[in-house]
Amino acid sequence: MRIRSRWSAIVGYSLVGAATQLVWLNFAGVTTVAATRYNVSESAIGWLAQVFPLLYVVLAIPCGLALDRWFRPALITGAVLTALGATIRLAGDTYAWLLAGQIIASIAQPLVLNAVTGITARYLTEKHRPTGIATGTASIFAGMVIAFLLSAIFPTAATVPTMLLLTAIFSIAAATILTLALRTPGPFTPAPTPHPQPFAAREVSRCAPSPTAPDAPASPPAPAAPASTPTASASTASASTASASTASASTAPAPTTRGNLAAAWGDPLIRRLCVLAIFPFGVFVAISTFAQALLEPAGVSGTTASTILLLNVIAGVLGSATIPIFVARHKAESRLLITSLATTAAACALLAVAPSTATGYLSITLIGLLLLPALPIVLELVERQTGEAEGTAAGLIWMSGNLGGLLVATAVGLLVHHPTAAFLTMAAIPLLALPGAHTLRHHLPTTTPTPD
């Protein structure tokens, strides 16, 4: 009987993924009014968001290892902590309660986001996994859209508590739905993580006789089969091979957290993807953080800049939900990454030489449409490549991306009063990744067709 995909787990995961981004960016559109309400500086309100990437860099690998070893409990813990962080912010009308809630939710974020490949590997059939990863990643960007919409609907200091209340309700509902969806293990098991033996060990294993009881006498050689019975001989050989394989499998060491980390980081493809992730993440975070300030000298108002960023994320949601599926079917990962990086460089160069409302809408929306789908494409490659270590490998990708975001955003922040130089810097960064994206096609995993 054919086992079917369990999409309820993906729905629950998508809701929790959106909740993490909603809690993260709650104050992105109301920084000034929140600073007034809580009697703190705008920089202090900014730290309510900055704590997320900072803790992600620290916790990405430990959370990935936890997901590899205890997938369902770790993911449910992430969902519960997200809801708890959102709820704690309602305990008091002070900045201290806000910061406490943000710290708790930021601890939860890597437990949730690192799980996007693991949940598809456990709850979806192989043919549905690219769609599942695209859906889960698109939901993360959808959470950003919800955050921007809520800040537009509740833009005043008096309505901030209402915005926080709705966020807490959404987070609690999402955690409840995911917990119910994960009440039983997924019907699929991720492929074992390859742990290659040293050459000498393989030779010893190949040449060693089958294990026997200690001091057991050697068995007499089996009589030769008649020349007229090749089928019987082949069957005997097959049975012997199967028996040896079973014995070998039963004595193989169970994967460990250290082994999963070594397998993930030891894979050349994963290391290449980690390096590549720095560039698109970095540019996206820098654009999201400083687009309004960089476009203001060109006469672009704050309201218009917020609308541009909203369209950027909406385009990214649509692109992430559709483009990776097409790319996976046509094995066009390298070509898409090259296209998105080159387009991003050209769009930032256009903003450097001709900043305006029109070029802002065109360039930043195009960046969202083509750059954000790079994330689910990379994560789908990770799922295909790493087997049981997919949580650790996904953690390495997210860690690299958040590190890139911190580095590029810091560099652009130093140039915030020099828009041309800032946009040219963001144009140069994707170009640095083009050679790696071009050679990536030589390292991509190949899927062996299954017999009918």
Side-chain angles (χ1 to χ4, degrees), residues 102-369:
Q102 294 297 98
I103 291 173
I104 292 173
S106 65
I107 294 172
Q109 190 180 46
L111 286 171
V112 176
L113 301 191
N114 287 6
V116 65
T117 54
I119 197 163
T120 56
R122 289 166 173 80
Y123 288 88
L124 299 182
T125 61
E126 186 173 355
K127 71 175 183 179
H128 289 150
R129 287 170 192 170
T131 304
I133 292 174
T135 302
T137 309
S139 73
I140 293 170
F141 300 135
M144 299 179 185
V145 174
I146 297 172
F148 293 141
L149 288 175
L150 283 182
S151 62
I153 296 171
F154 303 103
T156 65
T159 56
V160 167
T162 304
M163 178 183 70
L164 298 180
L165 175 62
L166 292 176
T167 300
I169 293 172
F170 181 88
S171 301
I172 293 170
T176 302
I177 292 171
L178 179 62
T179 302
L180 292 175
L182 298 185
R183 64 187 181 278
T184 57
F188 305 100
T189 302
T193 303
H195 296 281
Q197 294 176 301
F199 177 78
R202 292 200 305 269
E203 287 297 300
V204 170
S205 176
R206 182 176 65 83
C207 298
S210 300
T212 58
D215 303 323
S219 301
S228 60
T229 58
T231 303
S233 176
S235 300
T236 303
S238 298
S240 176
T241 302
S243 176
S245 299
T246 302
S248 175
S250 64
T251 58
T256 62
T257 55
R258 181 177 295 180
N260 281 350
L261 178 57
W265 185 246
D267 191 314
L269 176 63
I270 300 303
R271 292 200 301 270
R272 285 177 175 271
L273 293 175
C274 284
V275 174
L276 285 175
I278 292 173
F279 301 95
F281 264 92
V283 173
F284 174 73
V285 171
I287 283 284
S288 300
T289 305
F290 295 109
Q292 187 270 325
L294 294 174
L295 290 174
E296 186 177 24
V300 180
S301 67
T303 302
T304 300
S306 298
T307 305
I308 290 173
L309 289 173
L310 180 59
L311 288 177
N312 165 267
V313 179
I314 292 174
V317 171
L318 296 176
S320 297
T322 55
I323 292 175
I325 301 169
F326 174 85
V327 167
R329 288 175 181 170
H330 294 83
K331 302 188 184 302
E333 293 89 351
S334 181
R335 281 177 286 169
L336 187 280
L337 290 174
I338 291 172
T339 301
S340 63
L341 290 168
T343 302
T344 298
C348 291
L350 176 61
L351 291 173
V353 299
S356 66
T357 299
T359 56
Y361 273 111
L362 174 64
S363 299
I364 296 178
T365 302
L366 198 58
I367 288 173
L369 179 64

